[in-house]
Amino acid sequence: MSATAAAAAAETLADLLSARYGAVDPPPPGPDNAVIRTLLRHRSVRSFLPDRPLPPGALETLIAAASSASTSSNLQAWSVVAVEEPERKARLSVLAANQKFIRDAPLFLVWIADLSRLERLGRAWGKEMEGLPYLESFVLALVDAALAAQNAVVAAESLGLGCVYVGAIRNRPAEVAAELRLPPNAMAAFGLAVGWPDPLVRTEIKPRLPQRVVLHRETYGAPAESEDIARYDAALAEFSRRNGLGDSAWTPRVLERIGTLAGLAGRHRLREVLIAMGFGLR
Amino acid sequence: MSATAAAAAAETLADLLSARYGAVDPPPPGPDNAVIRTLLRHRSVRSFLPDRPLPPGALETLIAAASSASTSSNLQAWSVVAVEEPERKARLSVLAANQKFIRDAPLFLVWIADLSRLERLGRAWGKEMEGLPYLESFVLALVDAALAAQNAVVAAESLGLGCVYVGAIRNRPAEVAAELRLPPNAMAAFGLAVGWPDPLVRTEIKPRLPQRVVLHRETYGAPAESEDIARYDAALAEFSRRNGLGDSAWTPRVLERIGTLAGLAGRHRLREVLIAMGFGLR
């Protein structure tokens, strides 16, 4: 048994739940299996071994997992562009907030909310696709892409690979579309860097909001939300300190990220750019 | 070993890949494990045992899996409302195209694209949340909700539970928001019925588009898309016949679903309804 496998075996479900909630009211351990442990163990990886390729067949397996996700009315309104060429990864990295891990990861997947295939189908059959230019169709494509991508992430992590989503690919959607030669009505929704985690870089499960903040019973209501968030702030500050990320809690980060237009890093223009790219969004 | 376990053990990875692609160019078997098999085996379940409850602790485990998914900038812009009361499930079923399985499933999860928590946080700290009223923030919340939900689906299916997403919850967003008492800036993105599959109702893995239709290398391009879709149409028609669903292929269903405004089932009003619900969508 490798050291990693031994460590994984020593982990109890209670440990994983406690880490996931920063020890703030973790639920008692319930059903347990290898899949649930893979899910609970998730951590985003931003340090990859640049020279270690993926296992043979891994990409096709990740995409088969992605294709296995649900899709609204089986419309399958998503695509993915697999980028492995170093020069293209480097250019995409520059477009996506210049994040180094995009260059380091052997594989950069760009997930596309793709209404263009349905548009082409309509054209081939001489049918105007009346439903396409509505916000609903954009929502549907975005959700399809996200469900597919998340299945790929789960598959990747089950193989010991690491991943990180890249929302910054939306900073400059037109330039990204040009780089990937996307047709109109196709948008890079988010990126996903995939590779082998650098074993020298320690990562830890990141605590999330207490369960009762996000889980509502029967109707929406979070009577103790402020107190729960205060406790979460303390847990996240503790996590940050342990991981050399300063002592930042959740609330100040949220206020900075969404409180100011600058936090949107150019994405406040998303609507106008998407319309220029062919989306109706009516 | 139960009959189900024996059947599962007899399945090869090649079988699963072939079923997933309707035998149209399935990729050769690559890496294999229990997680990947759980993902590949997915099928939507619409027939539930109405009287068999979920295992103790299952809901909390699904939500812990959901909370373990990535979230943009750790904003966690999602919530979930767990509906178990029969009367409320029945009312939601009526609002969501009157689908019976919502009443039958012991648990109906409504996943919320939730910007309201960030809005409350801003109010509590006297800070105007400048980034909230933009389409980008809605996109972010929707993707957060979808990643979380998909982790819950994978966890549920690993326990032998069945699930089906319900996009029809977007048919009447304002009425659904009233039923669930959602605050402004919170939208029911999709539902998820969860329960024990009725063992008397046979389900089969549904074929998806050939891998090279959705997977692009380096740049977007699908040179043989028409031919690939024609082969997929044949595979899906065969699947439909085998499963007593007529002999409908993919193309005619797509043309009906997205080709006409009627196929949107009222969702062409989504933008105006969301704005009335407090979303900026700028």
Side-chain angles (χ1 to χ4, degrees):
Chain A
M1 195 187 276
S2 72
T4 314
E11 254 170 4
T12 67
L13 189 60
D15 292 338
L16 289 170
L17 289 165
S18 178
R20 180 54 70 203
Y21 290 106
V24 180
D25 303 336
D32 186 8
N33 62 38
V35 177
I36 287 168
R37 285 180 176 232
T38 296
L39 296 169
L40 294 180
R41 255 185 225 124
H42 162 78
R43 55 210 85 180
S44 292
V45 168
R46 293 180 178 82
S47 300
F48 298 100
L49 295 178
D51 300 321
R52 185 169 169 200
L54 302 196
L59 171 60
E60 292 76 8
T61 299
L62 302 193
I63 304 309
S67 280
S68 300
S70 289
T71 148
S72 187
S73 302
N74 199 31
L75 291 173
Q76 306 177 64
W78 64 276
S79 286
V80 61
V81 184
V83 179
E84 298 178 277
E85 288 178 10
E87 299 74 19
R88 184 166 287 105
K89 278 192 294 161
R91 289 193 298 271
L92 288 169
S93 158
V94 170
L95 292 175
N98 207 17
Q99 297 181 93
K100 177 174 178 292
F101 57 75
I102 300 177
R103 296 191 292 276
D104 290 342
L107 176 64
F108 187 56
L109 295 174
V110 186
W111 297 86
I112 313 293
D114 191 356
L115 296 174
S116 79
R117 189 184 303 121
L118 305 180
E119 190 186 23
R120 286 192 293 281
L121 206 61
R123 212 157 42 223
W125 292 85
K127 178 142 180 101
E128 194 202 326
M129 297 299 252
E130 293 179 5
L132 275 190
Y134 289 87
L135 179 64
E136 161 61 18
S137 295
F138 175 68
V139 165
L140 182 157
L142 203 58
V143 171
D144 270 11
L147 301 183
Q150 185 56 19
N151 261 16
V153 166
V154 175
E157 292 182 349
S158 80
L159 298 172
L161 294 165
C163 302
V164 62
Y165 281 102
V166 180
I169 205 80
R170 294 195 300 276
N171 289 2
R172 293 165 69 182
E175 289 88 338
V176 170
E179 174 65 46
L180 301 177
R181 297 189 209 146
L182 301 186
N185 254 318
M187 171 228 191
F190 41 81
L192 185 76
V194 184
W196 292 104
D198 182 340
L200 299 180
V201 177
R202 181 175 161 275
T203 58
E204 195 187 321
I205 289 175
K206 190 170 195 167
R208 300 286 194 227
L209 286 165
Q211 192 158 93
R212 68 175 181 180
V213 171
V214 299
L215 170 61
H216 308 261
R217 305 285 187 145
E218 299 301 327
T219 55
Y220 191 106
E225 188 176 75
S226 307
E227 295 83 340
D228 286 339
I229 288 179
R231 293 197 297 153
Y232 177 58
D233 270 332
L236 201 62
E238 181 55 39
F239 168 88
S240 301
R241 275 190 291 273
R242 265 200 318 273
N243 288 273
L245 303 166
D247 59 358
S248 171
W250 189 63
T251 297
R253 289 191 198 183
V254 170
L255 296 179
E256 188 183 331
R257 173 68 174 72
I258 286 286
T260 67
L261 210 54
L264 258 53
R267 295 185 225 166
H268 63 287
R269 294 183 59 242
L270 190 62
R271 183 175 152 77
E272 85 187 71
V273 178
L274 287 181
I275 287 175
M277 286 165 62
F279 288 89
L281 304 181
R282 262 183 234 161
Chain B
M1 196 186 276
S2 71
T4 314
E11 255 170 3
T12 67
L13 188 61
D15 292 339
L16 289 170
L17 289 165
S18 178
R20 180 54 70 203
Y21 289 106
V24 180
D25 304 337
D32 186 9
N33 61 39
V35 176
I36 286 169
R37 286 181 176 231
T38 296
L39 296 169
L40 294 180
R41 257 187 222 122
H42 163 78
R43 55 212 82 181
S44 292
V45 169
R46 293 180 179 81
S47 301
F48 297 101
L49 295 178
D51 299 321
R52 186 169 170 201
L54 301 196
L59 170 60
E60 291 76 7
T61 299
L62 302 194
I63 303 310
S67 280
S68 300
S70 289
T71 149
S72 186
S73 303
N74 199 30
L75 291 173
Q76 307 177 63
W78 64 277
S79 286
V80 61
V81 184
V83 179
E84 298 179 278
E85 288 179 11
E87 299 73 21
R88 184 166 288 106
K89 278 193 294 163
R91 290 193 297 271
L92 288 169
S93 160
V94 170
L95 293 174
N98 208 18
Q99 297 182 93
K100 177 174 178 293
F101 57 74
I102 299 175
R103 296 190 291 277
D104 290 343
L107 174 65
F108 187 56
L109 295 175
V110 187
W111 297 87
I112 312 295
D114 191 356
L115 296 175
S116 78
R117 187 159 49 234
L118 305 181
E119 190 186 21
R120 285 192 293 280
L121 207 59
R123 212 158 39 225
W125 292 85
K127 177 140 181 103
E128 194 200 327
M129 296 300 251
E130 292 179 6
L132 275 190
Y134 289 87
L135 179 65
E136 160 63 19
S137 295
F138 176 67
V139 165
L140 183 157
L142 204 57
V143 171
D144 270 11
L147 301 183
Q150 185 56 18
N151 260 17
V153 165
V154 175
E157 293 182 350
S158 80
L159 298 173
L161 295 165
C163 303
V164 62
Y165 280 102
V166 181
I169 205 81
R170 293 195 301 275
N171 288 2
R172 294 166 69 182
E175 290 88 338
V176 170
E179 175 64 46
L180 301 178
R181 296 187 209 150
L182 301 186
N185 255 318
M187 171 229 191
F190 41 81
L192 186 76
V194 184
W196 292 104
D198 181 341
L200 299 179
V201 177
R202 180 175 162 274
T203 58
E204 196 187 317
I205 289 175
K206 189 170 198 166
R208 300 285 195 227
L209 286 165
Q211 191 158 97
R212 68 176 181 180
V213 172
V214 299
L215 171 59
H216 308 261
R217 304 284 189 147
E218 298 300 327
T219 57
Y220 191 104
E225 188 177 76
S226 307
E227 296 83 340
D228 286 338
I229 287 179
R231 293 197 295 153
Y232 177 58
D233 271 331
L236 201 62
E238 181 56 38
F239 168 88
S240 300
R241 276 190 291 273
R242 266 200 318 272
N243 288 273
L245 303 166
D247 59 359
S248 170
W250 190 64
T251 296
R253 289 191 197 182
V254 170
L255 295 179
E256 188 184 331
R257 173 69 173 72
I258 286 287
T260 67
L261 210 54
L264 258 53
R267 295 185 225 166
H268 62 286
R269 295 182 59 243
L270 190 62
R271 183 176 151 77
E272 86 187 69
V273 177
L274 287 182
I275 287 174
M277 285 166 63
F279 288 90
L281 305 181
R282 263 183 232 161

